[in-house]
Coordinates of all heavy atoms in Angstrom, one line a residue:
I1 N 33.5 135.8 192.1 CA 34.1 134.7 191.6 C 34.2 133.6 192.6 O 34.6 133.9 193.8 CB 35.6 135.0 191.1 CG1 35.5 136.2 190.1 CG2 36.2 133.8 190.4 CD1 36.9 136.7 189.7
A2 N 33.8 132.4 192.3 CA 33.9 131.3 193.2 C 35.2 130.5 192.9 O 35.5 130.2 191.8 CB 32.7 130.4 193.1
Y3 N 36.0 130.2 194.0 CA 37.2 129.4 193.9 C 36.9 127.9 194.4 O 36.6 127.7 195.6 CB 38.3 130.0 194.7 CG 38.8 131.3 194.1 CD1 38.4 132.5 194.7 CD2 39.7 131.3 193.0 CE1 38.8 133.7 194.1 CE2 40.1 132.5 192.5 CZ 39.7 133.7 193.1 OH 40.1 134.9 192.6
I4 N 36.7 127.0 193.4 CA 36.3 125.7 193.7 C 37.5 124.7 193.8 O 38.4 124.8 193.0 CB 35.3 125.1 192.6 CG1 34.1 126.1 192.5 CG2 34.8 123.7 192.9 CD1 33.2 125.8 191.3
S5 N 37.5 124.0 194.9 CA 38.6 123.0 195.1 C 38.6 121.9 194.1 O 37.5 121.3 193.9 CB 38.5 122.5 196.6 OG 39.6 121.5 196.8
V6 N 39.7 121.5 193.5 CA 39.8 120.4 192.6 C 40.5 119.3 193.3 O 41.7 119.4 193.7 CB 40.6 120.9 191.3 CG1 40.7 119.7 190.3 CG2 39.9 122.1 190.7
P7 N 39.8 118.2 193.6 CA 40.5 117.1 194.2 C 41.7 116.5 193.5 O 41.7 116.5 192.2 CB 39.4 116.0 194.3 CG 38.1 116.8 194.2 CD 38.4 117.9 193.2
G8 N 42.7 116.2 194.2 CA 43.9 115.6 193.6 C 44.9 116.5 193.0 O 45.9 116.1 192.4
K9 N 44.6 117.8 193.0 CA 45.5 118.8 192.4 C 46.2 119.6 193.5 O 45.6 119.8 194.7 CB 44.7 119.8 191.5 CG 44.0 119.1 190.3 CD 45.0 118.6 189.4 CE 44.4 118.0 188.1 NZ 45.3 117.5 187.1
T10 N 47.3 120.1 193.2 CA 48.1 121.0 194.2 C 48.6 122.2 193.5 O 48.6 122.3 192.2 CB 49.3 120.2 194.7 OG1 50.1 119.8 193.6 CG2 48.9 119.0 195.5
G11 N 49.0 123.2 194.2 CA 49.5 124.4 193.7 C 48.5 125.2 193.0 O 47.3 125.2 193.4
P12 N 48.8 126.0 192.0 CA 47.8 126.9 191.3 C 46.7 126.1 190.7 O 45.6 126.6 190.5 CB 48.6 127.5 190.2 CG 50.0 127.5 190.7 CD 50.2 126.2 191.5
E13 N 46.8 124.8 190.4 CA 45.8 124.0 189.9 C 44.8 123.4 190.9 O 43.9 122.7 190.5 CB 46.4 122.8 189.0 CG 47.2 123.4 187.9 CD 47.8 122.2 187.0 OE1 47.6 121.1 187.5 OE2 48.4 122.5 186.0
A14 N 45.1 123.7 192.2 CA 44.2 123.1 193.2 C 42.9 123.7 193.3 O 42.0 123.2 193.9 CB 45.0 123.2 194.6
Y15 N 42.7 124.9 192.7 CA 41.4 125.6 192.7 C 41.1 126.1 191.3 O 41.9 126.5 190.5 CB 41.5 126.9 193.6 CG 41.8 126.5 195.1 CD1 43.0 126.4 195.6 CD2 40.7 126.2 195.9 CE1 43.3 126.0 196.9 CE2 40.9 125.9 197.3 CZ 42.2 125.8 197.7 OH 42.4 125.4 199.0
R16 N 39.8 126.0 191.1 CA 39.3 126.3 189.7 C 38.3 127.5 189.9 O 37.4 127.4 190.6 CB 38.5 125.1 189.1 CG 37.9 125.5 187.7 CD 37.3 124.2 187.1 NE 36.5 123.5 188.0 CZ 35.2 123.8 188.0 NH1 34.6 124.7 187.4 NH2 34.4 123.1 188.9
P17 N 38.7 128.7 189.3 CA 37.8 129.8 189.4 C 36.6 129.7 188.5 O 36.6 129.2 187.4 CB 38.7 131.0 189.0 CG 39.7 130.4 188.1 CD 39.9 129.0 188.5
R18 N 35.4 130.1 189.1 CA 34.2 130.1 188.3 C 33.5 131.4 188.4 O 33.1 131.8 189.6 CB 33.3 129.0 188.8 CG 31.9 128.9 188.0 CD 31.2 127.6 188.4 NE 30.7 127.7 189.7 CZ 29.5 128.2 190.0 NH1 28.7 128.7 189.1 NH2 29.0 128.2 191.3
P19 N 33.3 132.2 187.4 CA 32.6 133.5 187.5 C 31.2 133.2 188.0 O 30.5 132.4 187.4 CB 32.7 134.0 186.1 CG 33.8 133.3 185.4 CD 33.8 131.9 186.1
L20 N 30.8 134.0 188.9 CA 29.4 134.0 189.4 C 28.5 135.1 188.9 O 27.4 134.9 188.3 CB 29.3 133.9 190.9 CG 30.0 132.7 191.6 CD1 29.9 132.9 193.1 CD2 29.2 131.5 191.2
M21 N 28.9 136.3 189.2 CA 28.1 137.5 188.8 C 29.0 138.7 188.5 O 30.1 138.7 189.0 CB 27.1 137.9 189.9 CG 25.9 137.0 190.1 SD 24.7 137.8 191.1 CE 24.2 139.1 190.1
E22 N 28.5 139.6 187.7 CA 29.2 140.8 187.4 C 28.4 142.0 187.8 O 27.2 142.0 187.9 CB 29.4 140.9 185.8 CG 30.3 139.8 185.2 CD 30.5 139.9 183.7 OE1 29.7 140.8 183.1 OE2 31.3 139.3 183.1
D23 N 29.2 143.1 188.1 CA 28.6 144.4 188.4 C 27.6 144.3 189.6 O 26.5 144.6 189.4 CB 27.9 145.0 187.2 CG 27.5 146.5 187.4 OD1 28.1 147.1 188.3 OD2 26.6 146.9 186.7
V24 N 28.1 143.9 190.7 CA 27.3 143.8 191.9 C 27.6 145.0 192.9 O 28.7 145.3 193.1 CB 27.6 142.4 192.7 CG1 26.8 142.3 193.9 CG2 27.3 141.2 191.8
L25 N 26.5 145.6 193.3 CA 26.6 146.7 194.2 C 26.9 146.3 195.6 O 26.3 145.4 196.2 CB 25.3 147.5 194.2 CG 25.2 148.7 195.2 CD1 26.3 149.8 194.8 CD2 23.8 149.3 195.2
V26 N 28.0 146.9 196.2 CA 28.3 146.7 197.6 C 27.6 147.7 198.5 O 27.7 148.9 198.3 CB 29.9 146.9 197.8 CG1 30.2 146.7 199.3 CG2 30.7 145.9 196.9
L27 N 26.8 147.1 199.4 CA 26.0 147.9 200.3 C 26.7 148.3 201.6 O 26.6 149.4 202.2 CB 24.7 147.2 200.7 CG 23.6 147.0 199.6 CD1 22.5 146.2 200.0 CD2 23.2 148.4 199.0
G28 N 27.5 147.3 202.1 CA 28.2 147.6 203.4 C 29.4 146.7 203.5 O 29.5 145.7 202.9
V29 N 30.3 147.1 204.4 CA 31.4 146.3 204.8 C 31.4 146.2 206.3 O 31.5 147.2 207.0 CB 32.7 147.0 204.3 CG1 33.9 146.3 204.8 CG2 32.8 147.2 202.8
D30 N 31.3 144.9 206.7 CA 31.1 144.6 208.1 C 29.8 145.3 208.5 O 28.8 145.1 207.9 CB 32.3 145.0 209.0 CG 33.3 143.8 209.0 OD1 33.0 142.7 208.5 OD2 34.4 144.0 209.6
Q31 N 29.9 146.2 209.5 CA 28.7 147.0 209.9 C 28.7 148.5 209.5 O 28.1 149.3 210.1 CB 28.5 146.9 211.4 CG 28.1 145.5 211.9 CD 27.9 145.4 213.4 OE1 28.3 146.3 214.1 NE2 27.2 144.4 213.8
Y32 N 29.6 148.7 208.5 CA 29.8 150.1 208.0 C 29.1 150.3 206.6 O 29.3 149.5 205.8 CB 31.3 150.4 207.9 CG 31.6 151.8 207.5 CD1 31.4 152.9 208.4 CD2 32.0 152.1 206.3 CE1 31.6 154.2 208.0 CE2 32.2 153.4 205.9 CZ 32.1 154.5 206.7 OH 32.3 155.7 206.4
M33 N 28.3 151.4 206.6 CA 27.5 151.6 205.3 C 27.9 152.9 204.7 O 27.5 153.2 203.5 CB 26.0 151.6 205.6 CG 25.5 150.3 206.1 SD 23.7 150.4 206.5 CE 23.8 151.5 208.0
G34 N 28.7 153.8 205.3 CA 29.1 155.1 204.7 C 30.0 155.0 203.6 O 30.7 154.0 203.3

């Protein structure tokens, strides 16, 4: 999910969520793959 900044808005309305992709496989976290 992308959180896009909305100019002129504050509080919870300052960012607009936009779905990007679903069901994405995580390969690694930092340099850890186990």
